[in-house]
Amino acid sequence: MLLFASGRTDIPAFYADWLMERVRAGFVDVRNPYYARQVTRYRLSPDVVDCLVFCTKNPAPMLPHLPELRERGFASYFFVTITPYGTDIEPNVPPAAAVIDATLALGAAVGTQRVCWRYDPIFVDATYSVSAHIRSFRQMAERLCAATGRCIISFIDLYEKTKRNFPGVREVSLSDQRFLAQAFSRVGAQTGIVVETCAEKADLSACGVAAGACVSREVIERAAGYALVSPLPRQHLRAHCACIATHDIGAYNSCPHLCRYCYANADAALVRKNFARHDPRSPFLLGGAETGDDVHEAHQECLRDAQLPLL
């Protein structure tokens, strides 16, 4: 099983200490985001967790915990999102230079095969023009190539929450997508970074950017150090997504980055309210156990293929 920390909030940036407390306790409780009384309990053991998949805009708070995760036998893979936007778009994200420094330290600690740079979501306006994106992408790639050989790009999706929190944002035209893909592909070739998309409707393979998968068999096998069984369960949350299945241990409306394009936050007031409910000692990311909770143990199986040798 792959545990995802997280597509709903930034656990490494804001809840790293809580996560490590859960690792030490050996389990985590996760509320169903649509039926709050339904609680899934996941065992946090390398016997059943093949890889902890992290997604963050700031890996720095996780860096001190990496030796303990390794000592406890957990494999990990990190997606680090680094974009050129300022505080007008990403109010509480550290400056890109600082995040790049932390990502370089991350790559040195876990290995470049366990780090992926995400340059997303891409949107285009008067400030963040096509040319500005190309310039920023090149500057970032020239540094990040020491931390990773992989970059996933994606273009902004206009979810209802995004349109409400980011009025006026527009989809990126197909012509701009193709132009950016060609430019990014050239930069990738020059810096040794393979550029791919994930869950994108447009086929940009003719522009040098293949349709990939953020969480693929190959990615997890390299991170875990062993072959996985076949077939693997697939993710079915988004159209055009080719990722294998992960199980998210985060919670919506709890990410204080407050990025304007975010699909996981409804509004800033709710995020502040929820963040105040966080207890680092609780098995839940937000709050604690409540009367009427229906707690069930997750069905967890190691995906290791015992018939194939170690990679």
Side-chain angles (χ1 to χ4, degrees), residues 12-24:
F14 298 107
Y15 305 103
D17 291 341
W18 168 83
L19 175 66
M20 294 309 299
E21 286 298 318
R22 300 324 312 149
V23 166
R24 296 171 193 131

Side-chain angles (χ1 to χ4, degrees), residues 222-242:
R222 285 196 297 269
Y226 52 76
L228 304 181
V229 297
S230 294
L232 288 170
R234 300 294 293 272
Q235 196 76 277
H236 298 292
L237 296 179
R238 294 187 297 166
H240 313 292
C241 183

Side-chain angles (χ1 to χ4, degrees), residues 7-87:
R8 299 170 182 169
T9 191
D10 196 327
I11 288 177
F14 298 107
Y15 305 103
D17 291 341
W18 168 83
L19 175 66
M20 294 309 299
E21 286 298 318
R22 300 324 312 149
V23 166
R24 296 171 193 131
F27 74 97
V28 61
D29 289 337
V30 182
R31 292 193 182 279
N32 185 310
Y34 307 106
Y35 304 97
R37 295 303 185 198
Q38 294 183 6
V39 177
T40 302
R41 176 165 293 177
Y42 294 100
R43 260 203 309 143
L44 289 176
S45 165
D47 293 338
V48 291
V49 176
D50 297 273
C51 190
L52 288 168
V53 181
F54 295 98
C55 191
T56 182
K57 291 179 180 293
N58 179 18
M62 277 300 299
L63 295 177
H65 300 302
L66 297 178
E68 182 177 353
L69 279 180
R70 184 166 53 248
E71 290 167 7
R72 290 179 177 272
F74 286 96
S76 60
Y77 191 86
F78 285 81
F79 293 97
V80 184
T81 300
I82 311 175
T83 53
Y85 308 126
T87 54

Side-chain angles (χ1 to χ4, degrees), residues 162-180:
T162 303
K163 289 188 287 187
R164 182 169 62 250
N165 294 326
F166 195 0
V169 67
R170 298 179 180 179
E171 291 184 342
V172 180
S173 69
L174 184 56
S175 60
D176 280 350
Q177 289 186 37
R178 289 171 173 163
F179 193 88
L180 285 165

Side-chain angles (χ1 to χ4, degrees), residues 117 136-146 187 190-191 193:
W117 169 31
S136 296
F137 187 86
R138 176 177 293 280
Q139 292 169 348
M140 292 179 181
E142 288 173 348
R143 293 198 64 199
L144 288 167
C145 61
V187 171
Q190 294 162 0
T191 57
I193 295 177

